[in-house]
Amino acid sequence: MSLSERQSASGLDLHIHTGDGSGAAPIVALHPWFGCWQFWLPVVELMPERDWVLVDMYSGAGTIPADDGAFDALAAAITSAIEEYTDQPVVLMGNSTGGLLAQVIAIAGRPALDSLVLVGTGATAAGVKAPFRATLGEWLDAGGDAAPDSTAAVVRSLVYRDPPADDMALYAEAVETADYPFLSAVLRGVLGGDVVDELLAISVPTLVIRGAEDAARTEEHVATLMAGIPDCRAVEIPDAGHSPQVDTPAEVDAALRDLLGRKA
C-alpha cells in the first residue's frame, strides 16, 4: 500500500491512498487526540479499493493559534482541506476528538458529505469515564513536560490491548513530538464542547461505532447520538476499546462496508 503526502492550503498534512479509480466517495479520516493518523492504516489496508485521506491534525499547529478558538479553527481547516482535495461528497470518519470535529463539520453543512462515521465519540464530553478523564488531566497538568510513561499511558488508554511494540512506539512518538500548546488548546475545546442540541442538523446517513471495552465513552453517549441524528444506526464491537480500528480492524471494515453497501 502506498501513500502520497500533500499539505493543504490551510496547513494540514494529508496522507492520501488512491484506490481503484471507481469514483466512489473518498473516505476522509480524522484521528483521535493522543492517537495519530496511522491509527487508520489497519482499516485502509483492508479497503484498498477506496480513496482515503488521512488527516494529520497535529500539523495544524503550524497555522492555528493555540488559544480558545483552536478547536473551531481546526474544524474550519479540515473543511478547507477537504474542499481543496475534492468537490465530490466524502465519507467523513472521525474517532474520539476526530468524531466531535466530524459532527461539527456535518452540522455546519460543509463540505458536502456522502455519509458520516463516528467512532468512540459523543456529542458532549459530559459523562466521559472518570479514570480516562483523570489520565488526560494528568497529561495536561504536566504542562508539556509529561514523562514518557505518562504519554504512553494516554496512548494506551485508547486501545483495549497493546498494539505491537513498533506501532506503540510510533503512536507515542507522534504525541511526544506534537506541539503541546496546540494539543492542549484543542483538547480543552473538546472538554468544553457540546453539540447535543444541534445533532438534528446532520442530514446524511450516520454510523456510530463503539468498542464494548471503550475506556472513555459509554452506551449513553451512543444513545444520545442515536436520538439526535435523524438517520443513524449503531454497532458495538466486542473486545475493542476507544479506537476499535486499531484493536479490531476487520470488524470496523465490515461495519463500514455495510454502511457503504446500503448507500450503493
Side-chain angles (χ1 to χ4, degrees):
M1 181 185 65
S2 62
L3 294 170
S4 61
E5 297 182 10
R6 176 190 307 178
Q7 186 176 70
S8 70
S10 59
L12 294 175
D13 293 339
L14 310 179
H15 301 267
I16 300 170
H17 167 74
T18 302
D20 62 9
S22 66
I27 301 172
V28 178
L30 310 178
H31 61 78
W33 236 225
F34 304 107
C36 53
W37 65 267
Q38 291 96 330
F39 264 42
W40 295 109
L41 291 178
V43 180
V44 177
E45 290 172 355
L46 294 174
M47 196 179 288
E49 71 276 11
R50 300 290 290 231
D51 291 351
W52 287 81
V53 180
L54 312 180
V55 182
D56 178 3
M57 297 192 294
Y58 298 151
S59 63
T63 55
I64 297 172
D67 57 22
D68 290 345
F71 178 87
D72 290 335
L74 179 56
I78 293 166
T79 296
S80 295
I82 295 172
E83 292 181 335
E84 180 185 337
Y85 169 74
T86 183
D87 58 3
Q88 74 175 108
V90 303
V91 178
L92 184 59
M93 192 168 186
N95 177 205
S96 190
T97 292
L100 184 57
L101 285 159
Q103 291 170 68
V104 168
I105 291 167
I107 289 165
R110 286 185 48 217
L113 299 184
D114 171 271
S115 49
L116 181 66
V117 183
L118 304 175
V119 183
T121 193
T124 175
V128 168
K129 295 178 181 179
F132 183 85
R133 193 148 187 163
T135 300
L136 296 186
E138 179 181 341
W139 187 89
L140 279 172
D141 290 344
D145 294 319
D149 286 351
S150 177
T151 299
V154 177
V155 176
R156 194 171 289 111
S157 69
L158 304 182
V159 295
Y160 180 53
R161 62 182 66 83
D162 282 353
D166 287 349
D167 290 345
M168 184 64 191
L170 176 68
Y171 302 157
E173 182 183 13
V175 178
E176 290 168 352
T177 58
D179 183 74
Y180 171 82
F182 178 70
L183 261 67
S184 60
V186 172
L187 181 58
R188 289 188 169 90
V190 173
L191 295 177
D194 189 325
V195 296
V196 172
D197 293 338
E198 301 172 73
L199 293 175
L200 186 63
I202 297 178
S203 60
V204 295
T206 300
L207 171 65
V208 178
I209 300 175
R210 176 181 177 268
E213 307 299 333
D214 193 325
R217 293 293 185 172
T218 67
E219 294 175 347
E220 286 73 19
H221 289 116
V222 175
T224 298
L225 293 168
M226 291 282 290
I229 300 173
D231 184 359
C232 186
R233 53 190 293 269
V235 173
E236 184 167 278
I237 298 179
D239 300 321
H242 193 51
S243 296
Q245 69 271 31
V246 177
D247 288 317
T248 53
E251 286 76 6
V252 173
D253 173 72
L256 184 54
R257 287 183 184 278
D258 184 60
L259 171 71
L260 299 176
R262 289 169 185 249
K263 286 282 298 172

